[in-house]
Amino acid sequence: AQKITQTQPGMFVQEKEAVTLDCTYDTSDPSYGLFWYKQPSSGEMIFLIYQGSYDQQNATEGRYSLNFQKARKSANLVISASQLGDSAMYFCAMREWETSGSRLTFGEGTQLTVNP
Amino acid sequence: DVKVTQSSRYLVKRTGEKVFLECVQDMDHENMFWYRQDPGLGLRLIYFSYDVKMKEKGDIPEGYSVSREKKERFSLILESASTNQTSMYLCASSLLSGSGANVLTFGAGSRLTVL
């Protein structure tokens, strides 16, 4: 079974609007972490935000927030006030501490385009 | 800032050639990883290492080997390159424990084309 699923190959948003990128995951490990990375056209992966499975509150980093719904096994990324520079590929990833230690498993990615 | 440097940004090789992809990190990270990125498939783990001379297979190790003789350097080797190994290869590193273990730092990637 796919461990990380991103069902939106491509998303479009108008500048200054908010956008939600979906991510669902599958694990039986009680201790896990969820990550979002951004990959601009230059190719380098940029870490955006992290949510631990035991964290009580949703993670936030500036304009990025992670909508963590543990029972639904979803970890959607919300980008508020989109900017042209947000156009990039976005990857959701998971680390299962007991099952696979330091390894990260990535989803297929979502290509976000911000229109002016 | 943590820096992960991949030696070659673009490579073109012929089928059957031996290919070395080098990765160096300068922040004393224990963990190092090699991922392969293909459109629609995301990133897939080839090999990783948590210490010098230690290596573990990832999800797609077939056709690849790795070498970690020094803590800062992790090499990916294609013993006999094939066209289906044409891809973007990403190296990453992280701490083994502590809050820093939660974040992988990536290099800029090496785009390999096998003809």
Side-chain angles (χ1 to χ4, degrees):
Chain A
Q2 195 79 358
K3 291 204 171 202
I4 292 282
T5 303
Q6 295 179 251
T7 57
Q8 307 154 313
M11 286 283 286
F12 294 86
V13 66
Q14 287 297 122
E15 195 178 7
K16 300 180 185 175
E17 291 186 353
V19 63
T20 298
L21 306 184
D22 294 342
C23 173
T24 58
Y25 60 92
D26 183 27
T27 182
S28 56
D29 196 322
S31 180
Y32 56 91
L34 296 155
F35 303 77
W36 278 92
Y37 280 82
K38 172 184 177 181
Q39 187 182 43
S41 56
S42 60
E44 193 154 345
M45 297 280 281
I46 302 166
F47 166 73
L48 294 179
I49 197 166
Y50 167 78
Q51 178 87 42
S53 59
Y54 295 117
D55 293 342
Q56 296 296 313
Q57 294 190 328
N58 287 343
T60 60
E61 289 286 348
R63 294 187 299 111
Y64 304 108
S65 61
L66 200 152
N67 184 2
F68 181 47
Q69 298 187 42
K70 196 169 183 177
R72 296 181 61 186
K73 293 190 174 179
S74 74
N76 299 339
L77 177 71
V78 181
I79 305 174
S80 62
S82 298
Q83 301 172 356
L84 295 178
D86 293 334
S87 292
M89 182 73 84
Y90 289 81
F91 290 97
C92 180
M94 176 172 65
R95 166 179 277 148
E96 300 166 283
W97 285 106
E98 293 183 12
T99 307
S100 55
S102 300
R103 303 167 50 155
L104 256 64
T105 301
F106 286 80
E108 309 93 329
T110 296
Q111 180 70 48
L112 176 67
T113 302
V114 180
N115 294 316
Chain B
D1 278 353
V2 177
K3 198 163 174 89
V4 178
T5 304
Q6 295 184 230
S7 55
S8 303
R9 194 69 201 272
Y10 299 95
L11 301 96
V12 179
K13 298 292 181 181
R14 295 208 174 272
T15 302
E17 280 192 76
K18 190 168 186 176
V19 181
F20 292 87
L21 299 179
E22 305 284 345
C23 175
V24 177
Q25 50 94 3
D26 65 1
M27 282 299 290
D28 205 34
H29 283 178
E30 293 90 355
N31 292 331
M32 295 190 76
F33 307 82
W34 275 106
Y35 284 88
R36 170 177 171 161
Q37 181 180 1
D38 299 289
L41 297 177
L43 278 71
R44 294 178 291 166
L45 182 65
I46 305 172
Y47 269 97
F48 71 101
S49 168
Y50 54 88
D51 201 354
V52 175
K53 297 193 186 295
M54 304 302 289
K55 61 183 179 183
E56 296 226 3
K57 293 181 180 179
D59 300 315
I60 52 165
E62 297 79 17
Y64 303 95
S65 63
V66 290
S67 172
R68 192 157 180 210
E69 296 296 318
K70 293 185 178 181
K71 190 175 185 179
E72 66 270 20
R73 188 179 296 270
F74 192 36
S75 303
L76 180 69
I77 303 154
L78 288 67
E79 294 288 342
S80 178
S82 63
T83 55
N84 62 13
Q85 292 178 310
T86 291
S87 187
M88 170 72 90
Y89 291 88
L90 293 168
C91 176
S93 71
S94 76
L95 291 169
L96 184 63
S97 60
S99 60
N102 287 330
V103 179
L104 264 61
T105 301
F106 283 83
S110 298
R111 186 167 293 282
L112 172 67
T113 301
V114 182
L115 302 175

